[in-house]
Amino acid sequence: MVDLTRAGALRLTLPDARVHDALAPALAAFAERHPDVRVLWGQGGAETDAARERCDLSIGLEPPADPARVAHRLGALRARLYAAPGYLAQRPPPEHPIDLALHDCVGLHVGPQRGHDSRPARWRLWSGSERVVVTVRERYGVDTPAMAMQLAARGVGIAALHATGTAAPLAAGLVPVLPGWEMEPVTLYALSGPRRLPARARALVDWLARALA
């Protein structure tokens, strides 16, 4: 039986390809679980008045500065390090994040500057209560996770890949690097207007929060 309180189109805007790729499995699963809801998602830029009118929810990487916008915290977008076995056979695998300085790395650059920032890359890694910032040599800088994964699979270096799980990197033939460490998490928010969310939007917020828990 169709739940008429949730039926209809749900328009969602994601900020960049990194978030798009990471949330795609959860969004696809939500659409399958709720066939009465048409989930329409796309990649957007800055939050303008026109953009707000076109979507029910937008995903943000930080709480909104506009007090008229409501932020629903979803959870953390996490990234771990992966490389091809062939690459790791050529040199000793890193045992600590500081060893990354001796390796070729694949950097993921999103946002307005994309891959044009030529400054040395600084990767922030966490392991429990320990925090390390290391300057790495990014042999490649790309603006989509798919390209980062493809380059890593071809053995050019170590890539930090955002995902809600490990299935995609492992399916690409990659293996974990420094498995006890992860990149500094990025907090995601679902942003909406001051009006009460429709049931289908509320259901999606709850669904993504569980996926990112």
Side-chain angles (χ1 to χ4, degrees):
M1 180 177 178
V2 174
D3 185 347
L4 295 179
T5 65
R6 296 186 179 185
L10 178 56
R11 298 171 180 83
L12 179 69
T13 300
L14 301 157
D16 55 51
R18 168 187 51 176
V19 179
H20 194 287
D21 281 22
L23 293 187
L27 292 171
F30 177 86
E32 184 176 358
R33 178 71 176 270
H34 300 278
D36 50 320
V37 177
R38 292 182 60 228
V39 183
L40 309 172
W41 72 79
Q43 185 174 317
E47 267 216 317
T48 63
D49 290 339
R52 294 173 185 173
E53 290 296 325
R54 290 194 298 267
C55 70
D56 299 295
L57 289 171
S58 59
I59 303 300
L61 302 176
E62 58 185 25
D66 185 350
R69 301 291 282 165
V70 178
H72 312 267
R73 189 182 186 280
L74 298 176
L77 182 65
R78 302 181 181 278
R80 291 181 173 84
L81 304 182
Y82 296 89
Y87 171 83
L88 295 175
Q90 298 173 8
R91 61 190 77 186
E95 298 180 357
H96 188 272
I98 60 174
D99 298 332
L100 291 171
L102 304 176
H103 284 264
D104 294 329
C105 297
V106 181
L108 180 61
H109 300 268
V110 296
Q113 298 301 320
R114 299 193 175 238
H116 301 300
D117 189 348
S118 60
R119 293 174 297 179
R122 294 167 63 84
W123 286 12
R124 294 172 171 80
L125 292 104
W126 294 25
S127 179
S129 61
E130 188 175 0
R131 306 288 186 267
V132 175
V133 180
V134 59
T135 300
V136 301
R137 179 176 60 212
E138 290 188 345
R139 186 178 177 192
Y140 291 92
V142 300
D143 63 0
T144 66
M147 180 61 74
M149 187 180 301
Q150 288 186 38
L151 289 172
R154 284 167 171 76
V156 305
I158 298 172
L161 301 175
H162 289 80
T164 53
T166 60
L170 297 181
L174 301 176
V175 296
V177 174
L178 295 172
W181 293 81
E182 66 179 26
M183 298 290 283
E184 183 177 21
V186 177
T187 302
L188 294 182
Y189 298 86
L191 309 179
S192 65
R195 291 175 297 181
R196 183 177 179 179
L197 286 176
R200 57 184 177 274
R202 180 72 257 177
L204 179 59
V205 169
D206 294 341
W207 184 275
L208 293 179
R210 288 194 295 270
L212 294 171

